[in-house]
Amino acid sequence: MRSFSVVWNTTIIQKWVMAITGICLVVFLLAHLSGNLLVFLGPEHMNAYGVELREMFHGAAIWVVRLGLIVALILHVLSGIKLARLNRGAKAVRNDKVEHRTSTIASRSMIYTGLLVVVYVVYHLAHFTWGVAHGEYYHVVDHLGRHDVYRMVVDSFHQPLITITYVIAMIVTGLHLNHAISSALQTLGINHPRYTPMLRLAGPALGMLIVIGFLSIPLGIMFGLVK
Amino acid sequence: MNLRLHIWRQAGPADQGMMKTYDLAGVNEHMSFLEMLDVLNEQLLNAGEEPVAFEHDCREGICGTCGMVINGRPHGPIARTTACQLHMRSFKDGDEIYIEPWRATAFPVVRDLVVDRSAFDRVIQKGGFISANTGTAPDGNAILVPKTDADHAMDAAACIGCGACVAACPNASAMLFVSAKMGHLSYLPQGQAERSTRAMNMVLQMDAEGFGGCSNHYECEAACPKGISVEFIARMNRDVAASALFGRD
Ligand code: HEM
Ligand code: FES
């Protein structure tokens, strides 16, 4: 019988790993976005949500989710780097003239957009989770003594430099998602003439929707929709 | 018509190789692309130069022997057409044409436009049947094959193994080829017996040959002269996952 590692390291199973972990990350993005959009409902909702997240199941829930995300991200990054190197080696010499017909800038730059997302995630955690970047906005409490998530977000995005950083990060993420979602379905073997033409449009559309959703927050704050 | 050709010239596997430019006059628009190269080679021979090496056999688009990247596209600008079935009427007077070999680490250049595609043969061998005589041939219709399955198997079997999918892929992935070879067996009752083993064996050989993974760019489908669909890749992905999870070999 073939060992686990032989099968695990085949290109196709590595792509299954990419697709399954990638979809976990997309589901997280959707959940994260729906939470973040509470900022439009005001400080009460936002800060209560922050407390709820940290205290659900005596604080266990957030750690279970975090653990899952860390595992998914590590597997996604490791397989992504492994595949990217393999793919580059398989095409060590390229033709002088290459005409792309179906691939896109998004599909050809997955490894670069992916690695940029890692950089962004570290910054983002340092900013809003650990409070080590822009700490001046982090250490605020509201009238109930709760961590004032709302104030932290709104004050941060009043800084044009911070807003611009987030906008760029979201565009990069959007490029990744533009290819990622419908690609994952193909990897999982979901391809049928009845619905695949639709799904090939729905994937990029969902990616775009996620990015617009996230962008609405810094831009909404900068343009004064949220005070 | 008069053409300016930029052609990859490489004397042997160890040679560096480079693009060389040739001016070719009086090309007839009814010539096939390979006939145009024949004319060029006549001229080169007459001038005492080495002719351009390229592969060909049937010259009617069914054997998969010919193959070259023409202006950045495997088999040239016309969809579902092999280089041998491409005609010079698809070009116009004064055109510059870039002619290069398939590029893939698993397909080393042998000479000029000729690459070694024996990696494909080794992948096929991994998926093959063995013949064991067990009596007379079964009756014609003893094994029923639903029409749609037969059609799908035929679609997959249309693959001529030319390697354009590998050449078109930014990762030099052979997934379209391998999935077609797998698919034409897995759609038929006769192919069920070793379906799971075959899927894993072929993929392991494909990886061992140094082909890349599939990033779902779908350049292969666009380049395939037989219009093979990436649906077969999705089917292969399912078969390989099933083999990984449940296969006992
Ligand atoms: C917001 C976080 C991320 C999400 C939601 C995400 C999602 C996805 C999805 C769904 C796929 C498609 C998988 C497939 O084609 O089957 C994918 C592909 C890919 N991801 Fe990510 N990803 C994220 C972060 C990253 C990171 C941090 C990297 C860093 C290495 C990365 C590298 C890649 C690469 C290289 C591919 C293409 C693999 C290939 O087709 O060969 N991704 N991603
Ligand atoms: S020479 Fe046979 S397909 Fe072109």
Side-chain angles (χ1 to χ4, degrees), chain A residues 29 32-33 36 116-117 120-121 124 157 163-178 207-208 210-219:
Chain A
L29 286 185
H32 190 36
L33 174 61
N36 288 1
L116 284 172
V117 166
Y120 160 71
V121 165
H124 180 54
F157 290 134
T163 301
I164 289 170
T165 310
Y166 274 82
V167 169
I168 292 172
M170 281 310 103
I171 291 171
V172 170
T173 310
L175 274 174
H176 202 79
L177 294 179
N178 181 273
M208 185 94 98
I210 292 176
V211 166
I212 290 175
F214 278 115
L215 277 177
S216 72
I217 298 165
L219 293 179

Side-chain angles (χ1 to χ4, degrees), chain A residues 56-67:
Chain A
M56 212 191 293
F57 297 111
H58 307 287
I62 194 168
W63 274 107
V64 171
V65 173
R66 278 178 178 167
L67 204 71

Side-chain angles (χ1 to χ4, degrees), chain A residues 1-2 6-7 9-13 15-16 83 86-104 107-110 179 182-193 200, chain B residues 19 69 71-74 98 100-101 103-105 166-167 169-172 175 200-201 203-204 206-207 210-219 222-223 230-231 233-234 236-238 240-241 244 248-249:
Chain A
M1 199 181 67
R2 295 211 161 85
V6 165
V7 171
N9 285 311
T10 56
T11 43
I12 292 187
I13 299 304
K15 274 301 303 248
W16 273 81
L83 283 169
L86 201 129
N87 294 343
R88 179 163 299 201
K91 196 92 171 180
V93 181
R94 282 170 200 274
N95 287 112
D96 274 19
K97 248 198 151 48
V98 178
E99 201 181 300
H100 298 295
R101 277 180 277 190
T102 51
S103 64
T104 60
S107 76
R108 290 191 303 270
S109 55
M110 292 300 277
H179 179 64
S182 31
S183 173
L185 296 175
Q186 164 79 3
T187 303
L188 300 177
I190 301 168
N191 185 330
H192 191 283
R200 288 215 188 146
Chain B
M19 295 298 284
V69 175
N71 284 341
R73 289 185 179 191
Y98 289 79
E100 301 173 74
R103 288 298 188 189
T105 308
V166 174
C169 178
N171 304 343
M175 301 256 181
M200 190 56 74
N201 285 347
V203 165
L204 284 168
M206 170 182 87
D207 288 354
F211 294 109
C214 178
S215 292
N216 303 329
H217 296 300
Y218 308 142
E219 292 285 356
V230 293
E231 260 180 74
I233 300 183
M236 170 170 69
N237 291 344
R238 297 199 296 271
V240 172
R248 283 297 186 150
D249 44 281

Side-chain angles (χ1 to χ4, degrees), chain B residues 34 55-67 75 82-85 160:
Chain B
L34 302 191
E55 279 194 282
H56 59 98
D57 187 8
C58 71
R59 295 209 178 196
E60 53 188 19
I62 55 172
C63 74
T65 308
C66 65
H75 291 303
T82 53
C84 60
Q85 287 288 292
I160 54 176

